[in-house]
Amino acid sequence: FFRRVACSCPDAPFALYGQAHALAGLGDAFTASELFQKLIQSRSIFDPVRSRVIGHAHAALGLQLIEQGRYDEALAELGQVPADSPAYETALFGVGWALRKADERVKAIAIFQDQLARFPNGAHAHEARLSLAATYAQLRAYTRSVTAHRGALDALTAAMSALDRRRAGVNAPAWDPLAELRASEPADADPLHRDAPFSRAAEQYR
């Protein structure tokens, strides 16, 4: 499927990225790495979509290098992901992971803490909390390790409770997504439900 997308197509960067991931999933890390590098080398200042996909390619290649034990190369690759990239959280987690694997545990702790401060509810937050706790344990800072483990458990429990509430709400006959959104917003937030296009789109779920 990915190979059928023409190179001149606007979706070509997504196809190349998807093909690389598919090959990595099949165990062909070498070809996947080549495709990630090909995508990275196709950078264009005139194509912002390609640039954003390239950030993900840097992060994916960095994680792949970590799995191969090539920590210095991984750090160099992950360092190419800009802070405004959607892949930045993944890159930060990868940096922490690489540093921990390279026995740079104090630096790894600092990176995991920075990641959690920036992305407390991110896709890699739970992994970072567990890695932080394990790294403290490796340094024999057992009290901090226990505290970090407790924080990971508390965060996971809260996330599961929120999921249960959302599931119960969706299954309710009178589920009102706008009311749920208002209830979940901080008082000083700029409410999304006040946005007219969003409100009109959400009305269909009433």
Side-chain angles (χ1 to χ4, degrees), residues 154-167:
D154 290 345
L156 181 61
T157 301
M160 295 302 294
S161 296
L163 181 61
D164 288 340
R165 290 195 300 272
R166 179 61 55 85
R167 185 183 294 113

Side-chain angles (χ1 to χ4, degrees), residues 41-184:
Q41 291 166 4
S42 70
R43 185 185 304 274
S44 171
I45 61 174
F46 304 107
D47 189 345
V49 173
R50 183 178 295 270
S51 297
R52 292 174 75 84
V53 178
I54 285 174
H56 287 285
H58 277 300
L61 183 56
L63 296 181
Q64 190 177 79
L65 290 168
I66 295 172
E67 292 177 347
Q68 297 170 1
R70 298 156 65 181
Y71 306 129
D72 289 340
E73 294 175 67
L75 289 170
E77 203 66 52
L78 294 165
Q80 297 298 313
V81 181
D84 62 348
S85 169
Y88 190 60
E89 185 207 355
T90 301
L92 276 179
F93 175 73
V95 170
W97 182 21
L99 289 170
R100 183 185 171 204
K101 286 282 191 178
D103 294 330
E104 295 280 357
R105 298 187 181 101
V106 174
K107 292 180 181 178
I109 287 172
I111 294 297
F112 289 136
Q113 289 175 333
D114 183 32
Q115 177 198 335
L116 291 170
R118 293 172 183 263
F119 308 100
N121 300 310
H124 297 283
H126 186 61
E127 293 174 280
R129 290 186 178 97
L130 293 178
S131 296
L132 181 62
T135 308
Y136 275 131
Q138 288 176 320
L139 291 173
R140 299 185 179 182
Y142 299 122
T143 300
R144 293 191 177 189
S145 178
V146 170
T147 301
H149 270 115
R150 185 179 296 117
L153 179 60
D154 290 345
L156 181 61
T157 301
M160 295 302 294
S161 296
L163 181 61
D164 288 340
R165 290 195 300 272
R166 179 61 55 85
R167 185 183 294 113
V170 170
N171 292 333
W175 178 53
D176 186 344
L178 292 181
E180 182 177 321
L181 182 63
R182 294 187 190 101
S184 65

Side-chain angles (χ1 to χ4, degrees), residues 14-30:
F14 297 102
L16 194 59
Y17 179 74
Q19 184 181 352
H21 265 296
L23 288 167
L26 291 171
D28 190 352
F30 179 77

